[in-house]
Amino acid sequence: MCGIVGYIGKRKAYPILIKGLHRLEYRGYDSAGVALINEQGQLNIYKAKGKVAELEAYAADKDTGGTIGIAHTRWATHGEPNTVNAHPHYSESERLAIIHNGIIENYAVLKAGLQAEGYTFKSDTDTEVLVQLIEYTQLNRQADLKTAVQLALQQVVGAYAIAVLDKEHPDTLIAARKGSPLVVGIGEDEYFLASDATPIVEYTDKVIYIEDEEVVVLKSPIANHQSPIDITTINNVQKTPEIKRLELSLSQLEKGGYPHFMLKEIFEQPRTLADSMRGRVNVRQDNIALSGFIDNKDRFLNAKRIIITACGTSWHAGLIAMYAIEEFAQIPVEVEYSSEFRYRKPVINKDDVVIAISQSGETADTLAAIQLAKSKGAFIFSICNVVGASIPRLSDSGCYTHVGPEIGVASTKAFTAQVTALTMLALCIGREKGTISEEQYLRIVRELGQIPTKIERVLEQDRQIAQFAKIFTYAQNFIYLGRGYNYPVAMEGALKLKEISYIHAEGYPAAEMKHGPIALISQEMPVVVVAPHCGTYEKVVSNIQEIKARKGRVVAIVTEGDRVVSRIADYTIEVPDTEECLTPLLTVIPLQLLAYHIAVEKGCDVDQPRNLAKSVTVE
């Protein structure tokens, strides 16, 4: 969940590293640091608690010379967020420096062994243990740095993406990964290293994705090395690097005039959903073609069960998919939290299809869950946004959402794209199986094509939502209610509010309110009800009346032209009419805006909320 960036080449490294840290700050912002080898061969490390700006201020009057360096922005795992625990970490002799994303599970055992050899530790991190182990191996085995890294990593249990500098070799940068992402960018007489492609896109569109248990040695191209890139496994098996081309533009990483990335990404949804459907929903809007389904049709048609595994917002998208797949394809669906699924010894059969959902494609628990399912013979289908990420590479097939980078920690456009992709998959399976009528199929496909325009109409109410959001900054608790397809939307709305405003909120099926939550209803408890005019509308109206009878304050999401709920609720936000299975794509938009504006009114850091990171690459 930390951000790693490295550089070796002909330019001054420090500005590139700092800019890279800013691009990666959504991965962690507890502390930041940089290590540089200057022209005199000195290895300088500068660190600061807080955001990258704090590091910049601290290093402003320091020696930041050198054309090789590594940098890190941290989301704390072992050791509280402070300057001492910030990365990079020196080895005992201060010859080596390391940065690390991941968790070394057996660090305590390794640390005790090193302490017995006389090593001392300054931090509480597992990362410092690793750099000490590398140096100990280097000295004890009289090994070169690459071999020392390989041998040390053979002793490590856990996940890691690391980058190591050795001041005795100022023309060499070594990196390795297992379970945490790492990518190498290839420039002209220079190389870049990062946790993801966002810091690299400004300089090159050629990248190498490092695989698990691979060690990459980058030599300065301007030092006339014959093989400036060397990739082996930790067991020293030589690998041939495969160069990929990035599908990413610099403009996608900028705010584009919006005050926050989150608001920009909310307003991007009409375009991103159109992009997600492009080439899949034909121009006549009467057919859907998903290559990942077409190429593996029999696995879906013969599936006895579909298991969806995901975390957080992606799990909510999976719940919506459960409704759609069971309705249209008549296949039983189970939706599992990846973090629980991987540990509860699940029964998985060879005729099961497992759908993994992850915006980043690097979510550690989801990655482990599909590795487990794959070992049992299940067919793995992934829904991801980041091309070349670990989960799609491990999957048998899948579908990219193609919404571009999502920088705001609270997911918005990724959610609607996931729901769109999963709905298209459900329709494809149902049509092929004959479990959905042609009339209903065509009606939904045509309506799907209209969703981007209808989202634009919802976004026109942004100012209205911003105005009454001010009323709710006092609240300490919220309840969100929905039924059917919109029960997961209620949970997603509650999650958004929790993530960025720090107001406690819970999402419930509306009918379950009577089984406990109704005890919380009072004038001080706002209740958000997702109540489009479809399905169980009359039941939801009854639930709202029960709330109002107890003096609850109701914010209702209703269909345009609603006359019943609008008379009962205190505040209403209208969405256009659509097919019931597509309502989540519209009803979630006001909830995203509501959470955003409440957080802004409270003065919260919307894009980088406390204790959260965008890509959860550790357990």
Side-chain angles (χ1 to χ4, degrees):
M1 294 171 67
C2 305
I4 285 174
V5 61
Y7 176 78
I8 182 169
K10 57 191 176 182
R11 303 191 228 189
K12 191 174 181 181
Y14 179 75
I16 295 170
L17 297 176
I18 288 295
K19 186 177 287 187
L21 287 184
H22 279 296
R23 297 237 191 271
L24 289 173
E25 201 164 18
Y26 68 95
R27 299 182 71 97
Y29 31 89
D30 292 341
S31 58
V34 60
L36 301 153
I37 302 176
N38 68 12
E39 288 79 1
Q40 292 75 43
Q42 295 174 313
L43 177 57
N44 296 314
I45 288 180
Y46 308 120
K47 306 192 287 187
K49 179 183 176 181
K51 297 189 177 182
V52 176
E54 302 297 325
L55 171 63
E56 285 185 277
Y58 176 73
D61 59 350
K62 305 294 190 297
D63 174 12
T64 56
T67 58
I68 179 173
I70 54 177
H72 188 269
T73 181
R74 183 174 186 241
W75 186 89
T77 54
H78 293 71
E80 66 178 82
N82 59 31
T83 302
V84 173
N85 289 329
H87 300 206
H89 290 284
Y90 278 123
S91 62
E92 181 90 353
S93 69
E94 297 192 356
R95 171 180 169 176
L96 307 181
I98 194 172
I99 53 178
H100 167 226
N101 176 22
I103 292 178
I104 307 303
E105 295 176 12
N106 62 336
Y107 84 100
V109 173
L110 296 172
K111 185 174 184 176
L114 289 164
Q115 286 173 325
E117 295 290 335
Y119 279 75
T120 58
F121 292 84
K122 297 177 181 177
S123 75
D124 300 318
T125 67
D126 53 339
T127 303
E128 189 184 4
V129 175
L130 184 51
V131 73
Q132 302 282 44
L133 179 62
I134 293 170
E135 179 170 277
Y136 172 77
T137 305
Q138 191 179 27
L139 297 173
N140 193 50
R141 300 287 290 270
Q142 295 185 330
D144 59 63
L145 182 60
K146 172 188 167 183
T147 303
V149 169
Q150 290 171 321
L151 293 172
L153 292 178
Q154 289 173 22
Q155 301 178 58
V156 164
V157 177
Y160 54 80
I162 63 169
V164 184
L165 292 182
D166 181 347
K167 69 178 181 180
E168 300 299 319
H169 297 281
D171 62 346
T172 303
L173 171 58
I174 292 185
R177 71 153 282 185
K178 180 184 179 183
S180 292
L182 206 57
V183 60
V184 173
I186 304 170
E188 190 171 324
D189 293 332
E190 59 189 352
Y191 296 102
F192 307 85
L193 183 75
S195 298
D196 62 44
T198 53
I200 292 172
V201 65
E202 185 171 348
Y203 308 102
T204 181
D205 63 352
K206 293 184 290 185
V207 297
I208 299 169
Y209 295 101
I210 307 304
E211 301 288 349
D212 273 357
E213 297 192 336
E214 286 186 348
V215 178
V216 58
V217 180
L218 300 174
K219 297 280 190 178
S220 175
I222 59 175
N224 296 317
H225 289 287
Q226 294 299 313
S227 301
I229 299 180
D230 175 69
I231 301 178
T232 58
T233 67
I234 61 173
N235 296 311
N236 207 36
V237 175
Q238 196 69 40
K239 306 288 284 189
T240 302
E242 184 180 356
I243 298 173
K244 303 277 190 179
R245 194 163 293 277
L246 281 177
E247 297 180 9
L248 187 64
S249 67
L250 188 60
S251 63
Q252 292 176 302
L253 305 177
E254 306 295 341
K255 290 180 183 175
Y258 288 90
H260 299 95
F261 279 109
M262 183 179 178
L263 189 62
K264 176 194 175 191
E265 288 157 6
I266 291 171
F267 272 81
E268 282 180 335
Q269 287 173 106
R271 179 184 59 78
T272 56
L273 288 198
D275 290 344
S276 191
M277 288 185 278
R278 185 170 291 114
R280 293 164 174 170
V281 177
N282 67 4
V283 292
R284 296 188 305 276
Q285 296 183 357
D286 61 6
N287 188 46
I288 296 171
L290 293 178
S291 59
F293 168 74
I294 293 168
D295 297 341
N296 302 277
K297 193 181 300 182
D298 290 343
R299 293 305 303 256
F300 285 97
L301 299 183
N302 296 324
K304 299 293 191 297
R305 175 180 61 160
I306 290 176
I307 301 170
I308 298 175
T309 183
C311 301
T313 285
S314 297
W315 186 76
H316 296 154
L319 286 176
I320 294 170
M322 176 182 69
Y323 285 90
I325 293 170
E326 290 190 340
E327 178 180 355
F328 303 139
Q330 297 291 292
I331 300 173
V333 179
E334 297 173 12
V335 185
E336 302 274 1
Y337 280 116
S338 299
S339 55
E340 291 297 315
F341 179 73
R342 62 178 292 198
Y343 285 117
R344 66 171 180 78
K345 297 181 175 60
V347 177
I348 304 170
N349 301 307
K350 291 184 178 179
D351 53 7
D352 288 336
V353 170
V354 174
I355 300 177
I357 313 172
S358 168
Q359 187 280 139
S360 68
E362 301 290 352
T363 309
D365 285 319
T366 304
L367 190 56
I370 65 173
Q371 288 170 329
L372 170 64
K374 196 164 189 174
S375 72
K376 303 286 187 181
F379 179 78
I380 311 298
F381 188 90
S382 60
I383 305 287
C384 295
N385 184 37
V386 180
V387 175
S390 298
I391 288 173
R393 293 209 306 272
L394 187 64
S395 302
D396 298 300
S397 185
C399 174
Y400 284 115
T401 52
H402 296 304
V403 299
E406 188 177 62
I407 306 300
V409 167
S411 183
T412 52
K413 65 179 181 178
F415 172 76
T416 50
Q418 289 167 353
V419 172
T420 299
L422 289 160
T423 302
M424 290 191 292
L425 178 63
L427 291 167
C428 287
I429 302 170
R431 190 188 207 190
E432 196 66 33
K433 286 188 68 180
T435 48
I436 181 174
S437 71
E438 189 68 7
E439 179 187 359
Q440 186 182 20
Y441 173 85
L442 291 173
R443 192 173 66 247
I444 295 171
V445 173
R446 288 166 183 157
E447 184 60 26
L448 189 59
Q450 301 305 309
I451 290 296
T453 300
K454 292 188 175 184
I455 290 177
E456 288 178 349
R457 285 161 55 186
V458 180
L459 291 171
E460 290 172 0
Q461 299 172 79
D462 177 54
R463 288 189 178 181
Q464 170 198 337
I465 295 170
Q467 283 302 311
F468 72 70
K470 297 177 182 179
I471 300 167
F472 297 108
T473 54
Y474 74 88
Q476 296 183 354
N477 299 281
F478 264 77
I479 291 178
Y480 285 68
L481 301 176
R483 298 194 74 161
Y485 281 95
N486 285 287
Y487 159 48
V489 173
M491 290 197 291
E492 173 63 11
L495 177 61
K496 288 285 111 24
L497 189 69
K498 281 185 281 194
E499 285 178 319
I500 62 173
S501 74
Y502 318 137
I503 295 173
H504 174 254
E506 295 297 331
Y508 287 94
E512 288 297 303
M513 182 184 63
K514 293 188 289 291
H515 298 275
I518 198 168
L520 299 172
I521 301 299
S522 70
Q523 288 180 312
E524 288 72 42
M525 170 72 81
V527 181
V528 179
V529 185
V530 187
H533 202 292
C534 56
T536 54
Y537 175 75
E538 286 76 15
K539 301 290 185 185
V540 175
V541 171
S542 297
N543 298 141
I544 294 173
Q545 289 170 329
E546 291 163 354
I547 296 166
K548 294 304 298 177
R550 289 155 180 84
K551 303 188 185 304
R553 302 179 73 185
V554 174
V555 178
I557 313 301
V558 299
T559 302
E560 287 177 344
D562 181 281
R563 294 291 178 267
V564 178
V565 173
S566 297
R567 285 199 299 266
I568 307 171
D570 298 276
Y571 308 93
T572 58
I573 307 168
E574 292 190 341
V575 299
D577 189 26
T578 191
E579 292 288 323
E580 182 175 10
C581 64
L582 303 181
T583 54
L585 296 172
L586 301 180
T587 56
V588 76
I589 306 298
L591 304 188
Q592 294 172 350
L593 289 170
L594 181 64
Y596 171 81
H597 287 297
I598 290 175
V600 169
E601 286 297 323
K602 291 188 67 178
C604 299
D605 190 336
V606 172
D607 285 336
Q608 297 174 356
R610 69 187 183 204
N611 302 334
L612 294 178
K614 182 65 180 175
S615 181
V616 184
T617 57
V618 297
E619 293 186 49

